[in-house]
Amino acid sequence: MATQPVAVVCIGMAGSGKTTFMQRINNYLHVNKQKPYVLNLDPAVLTVPFQPNIDIRDSINYKEVMKQYNLGPNGGILTSLNLFATKIDQIITLLEKRAKPPPESKVPAPKHFLVDTPGQIEVFVWSASGSILLESLASSFPTVIAYIIDTPRTSSTSTFMSNMLYACSILYKTKLPMILVFNKTDVQDADFAKEWMTDFDKFQEALNEEQNKGVFGGEGFGGGSGYMASLLNSMSLMLEEFYVHLSMVAVSSMTGEGVDDFFEAVEEKRKEFERDYKPELEKRRKERDNENASKRENDLTKVMKDMNMDSRPNVAGAPAQGDSDSDDDVEETAVDADDFPDAERDDDDEEGLKRRYMNALRERGIQVEHDDPTIANMIAQTRRAG
Protein backbone atom coordinates (compact mmCIF):
# COMPACT_ATOMS: atom_id res chain seq x y z
CA MET A 1 0.00 0.00 0.00
CA ALA A 2 1.45 3.36 -1.08
CA THR A 3 2.06 5.87 1.69
CA GLN A 4 0.14 9.12 1.68
CA PRO A 5 1.90 12.37 0.83
CA VAL A 6 3.20 14.23 3.87
CA ALA A 7 2.20 17.89 4.30
CA VAL A 8 5.13 20.10 5.35
CA VAL A 9 3.82 23.40 6.78
CA CYS A 10 6.57 26.03 6.94
CA ILE A 11 6.14 28.52 9.78
CA GLY A 12 8.61 31.20 10.77
CA MET A 13 8.96 34.77 11.89
CA ALA A 14 9.40 37.57 9.36
CA GLY A 15 12.99 37.62 8.12
CA SER A 16 13.79 34.03 9.12
CA GLY A 17 14.26 33.02 5.48
CA LYS A 18 11.07 30.97 5.30
CA THR A 19 10.20 31.72 1.67
CA THR A 20 13.80 31.13 0.55
CA PHE A 21 13.73 27.85 2.45
CA MET A 22 10.51 26.93 0.60
CA GLN A 23 12.26 27.65 -2.69
CA ARG A 24 15.23 25.48 -1.70
CA ILE A 25 13.25 22.39 -0.64
CA ASN A 26 10.97 22.77 -3.69
CA ASN A 27 14.03 22.85 -5.95
CA TYR A 28 15.58 19.90 -4.11
CA LEU A 29 12.51 17.72 -4.72
CA HIS A 30 12.34 18.70 -8.40
CA VAL A 31 16.01 17.82 -8.88
CA ASN A 32 15.40 14.44 -7.24
CA LYS A 33 12.41 13.73 -9.51
CA GLN A 34 9.92 14.02 -6.63
CA LYS A 35 7.82 16.93 -7.81
CA PRO A 36 5.87 18.32 -4.83
CA TYR A 37 2.46 19.99 -4.71
CA VAL A 38 2.88 23.54 -3.41
CA LEU A 39 0.41 25.81 -1.59
CA ASN A 40 0.95 29.51 -0.89
CA LEU A 41 -1.16 30.85 2.00
CA ASP A 42 0.46 34.31 2.19
CA PRO A 43 -2.01 36.77 0.61
CA ALA A 44 0.26 39.81 1.01
CA VAL A 45 3.39 38.54 -0.76
CA LEU A 46 4.06 40.25 -4.10
CA THR A 47 6.16 37.51 -5.71
CA VAL A 48 7.30 34.05 -4.65
CA PRO A 49 10.40 32.29 -6.02
CA PHE A 50 8.46 29.11 -6.74
CA GLN A 51 5.36 28.16 -8.70
CA PRO A 52 2.49 27.32 -6.32
CA ASN A 53 -0.21 24.89 -7.45
CA ILE A 54 -2.74 26.52 -5.11
CA ASP A 55 -2.29 30.22 -4.40
CA ILE A 56 -4.48 32.19 -2.00
CA ARG A 57 -3.84 35.27 -4.17
CA ASP A 58 -5.79 33.69 -7.03
CA SER A 59 -9.04 33.87 -5.06
CA ILE A 60 -8.41 36.57 -2.44
CA ASN A 61 -7.37 40.15 -3.26
CA TYR A 62 -5.48 41.26 -0.15
CA LYS A 63 -5.48 44.98 -0.94
CA GLU A 64 -9.17 44.91 -1.78
CA VAL A 65 -9.91 43.17 1.53
CA MET A 66 -8.04 45.91 3.40
CA LYS A 67 -9.95 48.57 1.48
CA GLN A 68 -13.42 47.07 1.83
CA TYR A 69 -13.12 46.22 5.52
CA ASN A 70 -11.01 49.25 6.48
CA LEU A 71 -8.20 47.09 7.89
CA GLY A 72 -4.50 47.38 8.51
CA PRO A 73 -1.88 44.93 7.15
CA ASN A 74 -2.28 42.26 9.83
CA GLY A 75 -6.07 42.54 9.88
CA GLY A 76 -6.07 42.22 6.08
CA ILE A 77 -4.01 39.03 6.24
CA LEU A 78 -6.21 37.57 8.97
CA THR A 79 -9.44 38.37 7.10
CA SER A 80 -7.99 37.00 3.85
CA LEU A 81 -7.16 33.73 5.61
CA ASN A 82 -10.65 33.62 7.12
CA LEU A 83 -12.19 34.02 3.66
CA PHE A 84 -9.87 31.39 2.21
CA ALA A 85 -10.70 28.95 5.03
CA THR A 86 -14.30 28.85 3.78
CA LYS A 87 -12.96 26.97 0.74
CA ILE A 88 -11.06 24.39 2.78
CA ASP A 89 -13.32 21.52 1.71
CA GLN A 90 -12.56 22.28 -1.95
CA ILE A 91 -8.83 22.47 -1.21
CA ILE A 92 -8.79 19.14 0.63
CA THR A 93 -10.77 17.55 -2.21
CA LEU A 94 -8.16 18.78 -4.70
CA LEU A 95 -5.32 17.45 -2.57
CA GLU A 96 -7.01 14.07 -2.15
CA LYS A 97 -7.53 13.78 -5.91
CA ARG A 98 -3.90 14.75 -6.48
CA ALA A 99 -2.75 12.19 -3.92
CA LYS A 100 -4.66 9.43 -5.73
CA PRO A 101 -4.52 10.13 -9.48
CA PRO A 102 -6.51 7.84 -11.80
CA PRO A 103 -4.62 4.84 -13.23
CA GLU A 104 -4.53 6.39 -16.69
CA SER A 105 -2.86 9.57 -15.40
CA LYS A 106 0.74 10.10 -16.49
CA VAL A 107 1.44 12.43 -13.56
CA PRO A 108 2.56 10.49 -10.46
CA ALA A 109 1.18 11.33 -7.05
CA PRO A 110 3.41 13.74 -5.09
CA LYS A 111 5.17 12.57 -1.95
CA HIS A 112 5.08 16.01 -0.37
CA PHE A 113 2.65 18.89 -0.02
CA LEU A 114 4.64 22.05 0.74
CA VAL A 115 2.71 24.85 2.47
CA ASP A 116 4.07 28.41 2.79
CA THR A 117 2.43 30.60 5.45
CA PRO A 118 2.40 34.35 6.21
CA GLY A 119 5.43 35.88 7.91
CA GLN A 120 3.09 37.29 10.57
CA ILE A 121 3.31 34.01 12.41
CA GLU A 122 0.76 34.83 15.12
CA VAL A 123 -1.89 35.61 12.49
CA PHE A 124 -1.69 32.06 11.17
CA VAL A 125 -0.97 29.99 14.29
CA TRP A 126 -3.42 31.61 16.71
CA SER A 127 -6.25 32.43 14.32
CA ALA A 128 -9.37 30.30 13.82
CA SER A 129 -8.67 30.02 10.09
CA GLY A 130 -5.12 28.77 10.75
CA SER A 131 -6.47 26.09 13.08
CA ILE A 132 -9.08 25.07 10.51
CA LEU A 133 -6.48 24.78 7.74
CA LEU A 134 -4.05 22.77 9.89
CA GLU A 135 -6.71 20.47 11.37
CA SER A 136 -8.20 19.82 7.93
CA LEU A 137 -4.78 18.93 6.52
CA ALA A 138 -3.96 16.69 9.48
CA SER A 139 -7.32 14.91 9.22
CA SER A 140 -6.48 13.79 5.67
CA PHE A 141 -2.67 13.57 5.49
CA PRO A 142 0.36 13.15 7.76
CA THR A 143 1.27 16.74 8.66
CA VAL A 144 4.57 18.12 9.96
CA ILE A 145 5.37 21.65 11.17
CA ALA A 146 8.73 23.07 10.04
CA TYR A 147 9.57 25.98 12.34
CA ILE A 148 12.19 28.15 10.62
CA ILE A 149 14.65 29.95 12.92
CA ASP A 150 17.07 32.74 11.97
CA THR A 151 20.33 31.26 13.34
CA PRO A 152 22.47 34.45 13.41
CA ARG A 153 19.79 36.25 15.41
CA THR A 154 19.52 33.38 17.89
CA SER A 155 23.13 33.32 19.03
CA SER A 156 22.43 34.95 22.43
CA THR A 157 20.86 32.94 25.25
CA SER A 158 17.88 35.30 25.56
CA THR A 159 16.88 35.24 21.87
CA PHE A 160 17.50 31.50 21.72
CA MET A 161 15.20 30.93 24.69
CA SER A 162 12.56 33.24 23.17
CA ASN A 163 12.55 31.11 20.00
CA MET A 164 12.32 27.91 22.02
CA LEU A 165 9.34 29.22 23.98
CA TYR A 166 7.67 30.27 20.72
CA ALA A 167 8.30 26.80 19.27
CA CYS A 168 6.92 25.23 22.45
CA SER A 169 3.69 27.23 22.22
CA ILE A 170 3.26 26.35 18.54
CA LEU A 171 3.83 22.65 19.25
CA TYR A 172 1.16 22.52 21.94
CA LYS A 173 -1.23 24.75 19.98
CA THR A 174 -1.10 22.72 16.76
CA LYS A 175 -0.52 19.30 18.45
CA LEU A 176 1.49 18.22 15.39
CA PRO A 177 5.05 16.86 14.98
CA MET A 178 7.61 19.66 14.70
CA ILE A 179 11.07 20.11 13.20
CA LEU A 180 13.24 23.04 14.27
CA VAL A 181 15.05 24.31 11.17
CA PHE A 182 18.03 26.50 12.05
CA ASN A 183 18.37 28.44 8.81
CA LYS A 184 21.18 30.62 7.40
CA THR A 185 24.01 28.34 8.57
CA ASP A 186 26.13 29.79 5.77
CA VAL A 187 26.24 32.95 7.91
CA GLN A 188 26.59 31.29 11.33
CA ASP A 189 27.00 27.66 12.29
CA ALA A 190 24.17 26.15 14.38
CA ASP A 191 26.36 23.84 16.50
CA PHE A 192 25.88 26.12 19.50
CA ALA A 193 22.09 25.62 19.32
CA LYS A 194 22.45 21.84 19.23
CA GLU A 195 24.73 21.98 22.26
CA TRP A 196 22.36 24.19 24.20
CA MET A 197 19.44 21.86 23.44
CA THR A 198 21.25 18.65 24.41
CA ASP A 199 23.64 19.78 27.15
CA PHE A 200 22.27 21.86 30.01
CA ASP A 201 25.79 22.67 31.29
CA LYS A 202 26.76 24.23 27.95
CA PHE A 203 23.80 26.58 28.13
CA GLN A 204 24.72 27.47 31.70
CA GLU A 205 28.27 28.32 30.64
CA ALA A 206 27.01 30.60 27.87
CA LEU A 207 24.54 32.19 30.28
CA ASN A 208 27.23 32.86 32.89
CA GLU A 209 29.51 34.30 30.25
CA GLU A 210 26.85 36.74 29.09
CA GLN A 211 26.07 37.66 32.68
CA ASN A 212 29.74 38.41 33.35
CA LYS A 213 29.76 40.72 30.34
CA GLY A 214 26.81 42.61 31.76
CA VAL A 215 24.47 41.62 28.94
CA PHE A 216 21.51 41.58 31.33
CA GLY A 217 22.28 44.98 32.89
CA GLY A 218 25.09 46.39 35.03
CA GLU A 219 28.75 45.47 34.73
CA GLY A 220 30.54 42.34 35.84
CA PHE A 221 29.17 39.27 37.56
CA GLY A 222 26.01 39.93 39.48
CA GLY A 223 25.36 43.21 37.64
CA GLY A 224 21.79 44.31 37.29
CA SER A 225 18.89 42.71 39.10
CA GLY A 226 19.85 39.17 38.10
CA TYR A 227 16.22 38.54 37.17
CA MET A 228 16.85 37.80 33.49
CA ALA A 229 19.65 35.29 34.14
CA SER A 230 17.57 33.54 36.80
CA LEU A 231 14.57 33.36 34.46
CA LEU A 232 16.62 31.94 31.56
CA ASN A 233 18.16 29.39 33.92
CA SER A 234 14.73 28.23 35.10
CA MET A 235 13.32 28.04 31.56
CA SER A 236 16.27 26.01 30.30
CA LEU A 237 15.55 23.42 33.00
CA MET A 238 11.84 23.39 32.13
CA LEU A 239 12.43 22.96 28.40
CA GLU A 240 14.69 19.92 28.69
CA GLU A 241 11.65 17.64 28.39
CA PHE A 242 10.33 19.73 25.51
CA TYR A 243 13.54 19.24 23.48
CA VAL A 244 13.07 15.47 23.57
CA HIS A 245 10.00 15.74 21.31
CA LEU A 246 11.71 17.84 18.65
CA SER A 247 13.97 17.17 15.70
CA MET A 248 16.61 19.80 15.01
CA VAL A 249 18.33 20.32 11.65
CA ALA A 250 20.78 22.97 10.45
CA VAL A 251 20.10 24.23 6.93
CA SER A 252 21.41 26.87 4.56
CA SER A 253 18.71 27.95 2.15
CA MET A 254 21.36 29.69 0.05
CA THR A 255 23.75 26.75 -0.45
CA GLY A 256 21.36 23.84 0.10
CA GLU A 257 23.47 22.37 2.88
CA GLY A 258 21.45 20.27 5.31
CA VAL A 259 18.38 19.77 3.08
CA ASP A 260 19.02 16.02 3.00
CA ASP A 261 18.94 15.98 6.80
CA PHE A 262 15.69 17.95 6.74
CA PHE A 263 13.86 15.40 4.57
CA GLU A 264 15.20 12.55 6.70
CA ALA A 265 13.67 14.34 9.68
CA VAL A 266 10.40 14.79 7.76
CA GLU A 267 10.23 11.03 7.15
CA GLU A 268 10.85 10.33 10.84
CA LYS A 269 8.14 12.80 11.83
CA ARG A 270 5.74 11.24 9.32
CA LYS A 271 6.18 7.89 11.06
CA GLU A 272 5.74 9.62 14.41
CA PHE A 273 2.51 11.21 13.16
CA GLU A 274 1.12 7.83 12.11
CA ARG A 275 2.19 6.21 15.37
CA ASP A 276 1.47 8.84 18.01
CA TYR A 277 -0.53 11.74 16.63
CA LYS A 278 -3.02 10.09 14.28
CA PRO A 279 -4.72 7.95 16.99
CA GLU A 280 -5.17 11.06 19.13
CA LEU A 281 -6.62 13.01 16.18
CA GLU A 282 -9.03 10.17 15.41
CA LYS A 283 -10.04 10.02 19.07
CA ARG A 284 -10.82 13.76 19.12
CA ARG A 285 -12.69 13.48 15.82
CA LYS A 286 -14.76 10.58 17.13
CA GLU A 287 -15.62 12.58 20.26
CA ARG A 288 -16.75 15.51 18.10
CA ASP A 289 -18.80 13.19 15.89
CA ASN A 290 -20.47 11.65 18.93
CA GLU A 291 -21.26 15.11 20.30
CA ASN A 292 -22.72 16.17 16.95
CA ALA A 293 -24.74 12.96 16.67
CA SER A 294 -26.09 13.39 20.20
CA LYS A 295 -27.03 17.00 19.51
CA ARG A 296 -28.70 16.03 16.25
CA GLU A 297 -30.68 13.27 17.96
CA ASN A 298 -31.83 15.65 20.69
CA ASP A 299 -32.87 18.25 18.12
CA LEU A 300 -34.66 15.66 16.01
CA THR A 301 -36.44 14.19 19.05
CA LYS A 302 -37.59 17.66 20.07
CA VAL A 303 -39.00 18.35 16.59
CA MET A 304 -40.81 15.02 16.50
CA LYS A 305 -42.31 15.62 19.94
CA ASP A 306 -43.42 19.07 18.82
CA MET A 307 -45.28 17.42 15.96
CA ASN A 308 -47.33 15.56 18.61
CA MET A 309 -48.08 12.72 16.21
CA ASP A 310 -50.54 9.98 17.24
CA SER A 311 -49.83 6.36 16.50
CA ARG A 312 -52.19 6.60 13.51
CA PRO A 313 -54.54 9.13 11.90
CA ASN A 314 -58.33 8.84 12.00
CA VAL A 315 -59.67 6.78 9.16
CA ALA A 316 -63.18 6.54 7.75
CA GLY A 317 -65.64 5.40 10.38
CA ALA A 318 -63.31 6.09 13.35
CA PRO A 319 -64.37 9.03 15.55
CA ALA A 320 -61.78 11.37 16.98
CA GLN A 321 -60.99 10.80 20.67
CA GLY A 322 -63.51 12.55 22.92
CA ASP A 323 -66.16 12.83 20.19
CA SER A 324 -69.55 11.13 20.45
CA ASP A 325 -70.50 8.13 18.37
CA SER A 326 -73.43 9.89 16.74
CA ASP A 327 -73.79 9.63 12.97
CA ASP A 328 -73.40 13.42 12.65
CA ASP A 329 -70.17 13.41 14.59
CA VAL A 330 -68.82 10.47 12.61
CA GLU A 331 -69.72 12.25 9.41
CA GLU A 332 -67.95 15.44 10.49
CA THR A 333 -64.82 13.74 11.77
CA ALA A 334 -64.48 10.98 9.24
CA VAL A 335 -61.29 11.13 7.19
CA ASP A 336 -60.80 9.58 3.81
CA ALA A 337 -58.04 6.98 4.00
CA ASP A 338 -56.82 8.09 0.57
CA ASP A 339 -55.69 11.35 2.18
CA PHE A 340 -53.11 9.32 4.11
CA PRO A 341 -51.45 6.97 1.64
CA ASP A 342 -48.73 6.12 4.17
CA ALA A 343 -51.13 5.47 7.04
CA GLU A 344 -51.64 1.94 8.23
CA ARG A 345 -54.74 0.70 9.97
CA ASP A 346 -52.75 -1.80 11.97
CA ASP A 347 -50.92 -0.31 14.96
CA ASP A 348 -48.36 -3.08 14.73
CA ASP A 349 -47.15 -1.94 11.29
CA GLU A 350 -43.92 -0.12 12.20
CA GLU A 351 -43.09 0.60 8.56
CA GLY A 352 -46.20 2.74 8.17
CA LEU A 353 -45.36 4.82 11.23
CA LYS A 354 -41.82 5.21 10.02
CA ARG A 355 -42.99 6.57 6.67
CA ARG A 356 -45.34 9.01 8.42
CA TYR A 357 -42.57 10.37 10.59
CA MET A 358 -40.21 10.72 7.64
CA ASN A 359 -42.82 12.52 5.54
CA ALA A 360 -43.65 14.90 8.36
CA LEU A 361 -39.99 15.67 8.96
CA ARG A 362 -39.34 16.29 5.29
CA GLU A 363 -42.23 18.71 5.18
CA ARG A 364 -40.33 20.68 7.80
CA GLY A 365 -37.16 20.61 5.71
CA ILE A 366 -35.40 17.97 7.84
CA GLN A 367 -33.73 15.23 5.81
CA VAL A 368 -33.39 11.90 7.60
CA GLU A 369 -32.35 8.42 6.55
CA HIS A 370 -34.81 5.55 6.54
CA ASP A 371 -32.82 3.69 9.19
CA ASP A 372 -32.28 6.69 11.48
CA PRO A 373 -32.29 5.27 15.06
CA THR A 374 -34.10 8.36 16.37
CA ILE A 375 -37.20 7.46 14.38
CA ALA A 376 -37.18 3.93 15.79
CA ASN A 377 -36.87 5.36 19.30
CA MET A 378 -39.79 7.72 18.75
CA ILE A 379 -41.96 4.91 17.39
CA ALA A 380 -41.20 2.84 20.50
CA GLN A 381 -42.12 5.83 22.70
CA THR A 382 -45.32 6.34 20.73
CA ARG A 383 -46.35 2.71 21.24
CA ARG A 384 -45.59 2.89 24.95
CA ALA A 385 -47.59 6.10 25.29
CA GLY A 386 -50.47 4.50 23.42
Side-chain angles (χ1 to χ4, degrees):
M1 179 179 177
T3 57
Q4 283 187 301
V6 57
V8 180
V9 183
C10 295
I11 295 175
M13 295 185 185
S16 62
K18 176 173 55 62
T19 301
T20 309
F21 175 75
M22 275 283 297
Q23 179 192 24
R24 173 58 63 183
I25 60 176
N26 180 48
N27 180 69
Y28 174 88
L29 292 173
H30 274 85
V31 168
N32 287 275
K33 310 298 182 184
Q34 297 179 16
K35 186 177 179 181
Y37 200 79
V38 184
L39 293 79
N40 172 47
L41 300 183
D42 189 349
V45 67
L46 294 178
T47 59
V48 289
F50 51 83
Q51 182 61 48
N53 299 94
I54 297 177
D55 196 334
I56 187 174
R57 298 174 300 169
D58 291 338
S59 56
I60 308 294
N61 187 323
Y62 166 70
K63 289 185 178 180
E64 193 63 28
V65 168
M66 289 177 62
K67 182 179 178 181
Q68 287 188 9
Y69 295 95
N70 194 26
L71 299 169
N74 286 348
I77 292 174
L78 178 59
T79 303
S80 297
L81 281 170
N82 289 342
L83 293 170
F84 192 69
T86 63
K87 306 175 185 292
I88 188 61
D89 56 333
Q90 301 173 35
I91 297 166
I92 297 299
T93 299
L94 284 173
L95 295 180
E96 288 175 343
K97 287 182 179 179
R98 192 67 189 83
K100 294 181 180 179
E104 64 274 11
S105 175
K106 296 181 180 179
V107 181
K111 294 184 178 180
H112 301 86
F113 294 135
L114 304 182
V115 184
D116 193 16
T117 60
Q120 288 77 356
I121 187 172
E122 69 283 353
V123 170
F124 181 78
V125 175
W126 279 276
S127 67
S129 54
S131 297
I132 291 170
L133 291 164
L134 285 176
E135 288 179 8
S136 299
L137 267 178
S139 66
S140 301
F141 307 99
T143 304
V144 175
I145 301 293
Y147 180 54
I148 318 301
I149 298 172
D150 188 340
T151 306
R153 294 183 181 177
T154 315
S155 56
S156 71
T157 55
S158 56
T159 54
F160 172 82
M161 191 56 63
S162 296
N163 260 300
M164 294 302 100
L165 288 173
Y166 221 105
C168 181
S169 64
I170 292 172
L171 176 67
Y172 291 113
K173 175 66 171 68
T174 61
K175 297 180 177 65
L176 293 170
M178 176 182 285
I179 303 171
L180 296 184
V181 181
F182 283 85
N183 195 17
K184 304 184 183 180
T185 54
D186 54 300
V187 178
Q188 179 165 350
D189 197 280
D191 287 345
F192 73 92
K194 188 173 184 179
E195 282 186 344
W196 290 354
M197 291 177 65
T198 56
D199 190 336
F200 174 75
D201 292 332
K202 290 290 184 181
F203 183 81
Q204 290 298 306
E205 289 176 11
L207 184 59
N208 290 334
E209 185 179 344
E210 289 184 2
Q211 193 174 18
N212 288 331
K213 292 179 180 178
V215 173
F216 306 123
E219 295 182 1
F221 184 79
S225 66
Y227 167 77
M228 181 62 105
S230 176
L231 177 63
L232 292 175
N233 184 57
S234 300
M235 288 192 295
S236 64
L237 284 170
M238 178 194 71
L239 291 177
E240 274 193 308
E241 181 66 24
F242 166 66
Y243 295 147
V244 174
H245 300 285
L246 296 177
S247 293
M248 178 266 187
V249 294
V251 173
S252 170
S253 296
M254 292 300 294
T255 66
E257 183 181 2
V259 176
D260 286 329
D261 296 335
F262 171 74
F263 280 105
E264 287 178 8
V266 168
E267 182 60 21
E268 288 300 316
K269 289 299 176 182
R270 183 191 67 78
K271 295 176 182 177
E272 183 180 321
F273 177 92
E274 297 284 359
R275 182 182 67 249
D276 301 330
Y277 287 80
K278 190 174 181 180
E280 179 64 24
L281 286 171
E282 290 177 347
K283 179 183 176 183
R284 295 207 307 267
R285 190 184 307 120
K286 186 176 181 180
E287 288 173 353
R288 286 197 301 268
D289 290 344
N290 289 339
E291 288 176 3
N292 292 337
S294 177
K295 183 177 182 300
R296 181 179 178 277
E297 182 172 350
N298 290 337
D299 292 345
L300 187 56
T301 300
K302 183 178 178 182
V303 170
M304 295 177 76
K305 285 181 178 178
D306 289 344
M307 292 190 314
N308 194 24
M309 296 179 67
D310 296 327
S311 62
R312 63 177 180 177
N314 285 327
V315 293
Q321 187 175 359
D323 288 345
S324 68
D325 291 335
S326 68
D327 292 339
D328 291 339
D329 287 334
V330 170
E331 198 171 78
E332 289 176 2
T333 59
V335 179
D336 189 346
D338 292 337
D339 292 337
F340 295 87
D342 291 332
E344 298 290 338
R345 291 177 172 80
D346 187 356
D347 281 345
D348 294 329
D349 191 339
E350 186 170 316
E351 191 64 28
L353 281 174
K354 187 178 291 187
R355 284 198 298 269
R356 290 179 59 207
Y357 275 125
M358 291 182 66
N359 288 340
L361 287 168
R362 286 167 181 163
E363 287 177 2
R364 293 178 177 229
I366 302 173
Q367 296 300 319
V368 292
E369 299 296 330
H370 187 268
D371 57 352
D372 194 303
T374 306
I375 294 180
N377 291 339
M378 288 302 298
I379 289 174
Q381 292 176 21
T382 301
R383 293 194 184 283
R384 288 196 295 269

